[in-house]
Amino acid sequence: HDGKELVLAFDDEGIAKKWHEKLLAPPKSRLEILGIEREHNVLLLGDFTAAVREELTAALATPPATRPIGARRYDIVIVLLREPLELARLRSAGERTSEKGALWAVWPKGRPDLKHEDVVAAAGELGLVQTKSMAFDATLSALRLVRAAKK
């Protein structure tokens, strides 16, 4: 920060109050952004770090599965895509996601051959739409995908 002050002025006191609360609130944790709740069943696909696995295990009543069990569907599926060819993994990951569940696609930041648009396009072909994106960590981006609403 270069010492400059920023002033926000609002005509509406209610809006001003909401902005004030948001600016003072601590940033959301990764688990809050992912929408992880204690009772969720989570499937973690890919070679995530031990720190990520431990963070999820501590937050969940049942540790995350690291391979699909039977025909089970999961509240949240998190799939790590390291290469463009791995976009094909979105199909099987999506099939493991419950009807109202979320699929998080995670990939390395800054790859010219594996961009946000590539993930969105591959998901769209499977009937999945983006609802949220985030920095998963310093080196990974993430995108929340859900089934498109039936028309």
Side-chain angles (χ1 to χ4, degrees), residues 93-119:
E95 289 168 354
R96 290 300 184 159
T97 307
S98 66
E99 197 61 37
K100 300 247 185 277
L103 167 60
W104 281 92
V106 180
W107 71 96
K109 290 181 182 177
R111 291 237 1 206
D113 59 344
L114 186 57
K115 298 187 296 292
H116 178 267
E117 296 80 12
D118 301 324
V119 177

Side-chain angles (χ1 to χ4, degrees), residues 72-105:
R72 183 172 195 178
R73 289 178 170 241
Y74 297 83
D75 300 313
I76 296 181
V77 177
I78 306 171
V79 61
L80 182 58
L81 311 168
R82 293 255 180 226
E83 303 292 332
L85 284 173
E86 292 181 345
L87 283 169
R89 296 175 66 199
L90 287 175
R91 178 177 301 281
S92 59
E95 289 168 354
R96 290 300 184 159
T97 307
S98 66
E99 197 61 37
K100 300 247 185 277
L103 167 60
W104 281 92

Side-chain angles (χ1 to χ4, degrees), residues 11-29:
D11 293 332
D12 183 304
E13 188 178 338
I15 291 173
K17 189 172 187 314
K18 283 182 184 172
W19 267 94
H20 184 253
E21 289 167 3
K22 279 210 184 282
L23 290 169
L24 293 179
K28 286 187 174 182
S29 72

Side-chain angles (χ1 to χ4, degrees), residues 3-70:
K4 290 186 178 155
E5 191 173 302
L6 173 67
V7 177
L8 298 175
F10 299 94
D11 293 332
D12 183 304
E13 188 178 338
I15 291 173
K17 189 172 187 314
K18 283 182 184 172
W19 267 94
H20 184 253
E21 289 167 3
K22 279 210 184 282
L23 290 169
L24 293 179
K28 286 187 174 182
S29 72
R30 172 170 42 200
L31 295 178
E32 287 174 315
I33 296 169
L34 289 170
I36 302 285
E37 295 177 14
R38 185 133 186 89
E39 67 282 354
H40 279 155
N41 57 15
V42 175
L43 176 60
L44 196 59
L45 299 171
D47 59 339
F48 285 93
T49 64
V52 169
R53 292 191 307 272
E54 289 164 10
E55 180 183 16
L56 284 166
T57 299
L60 296 165
T62 305
T66 53
R67 64 175 56 95
I69 300 163

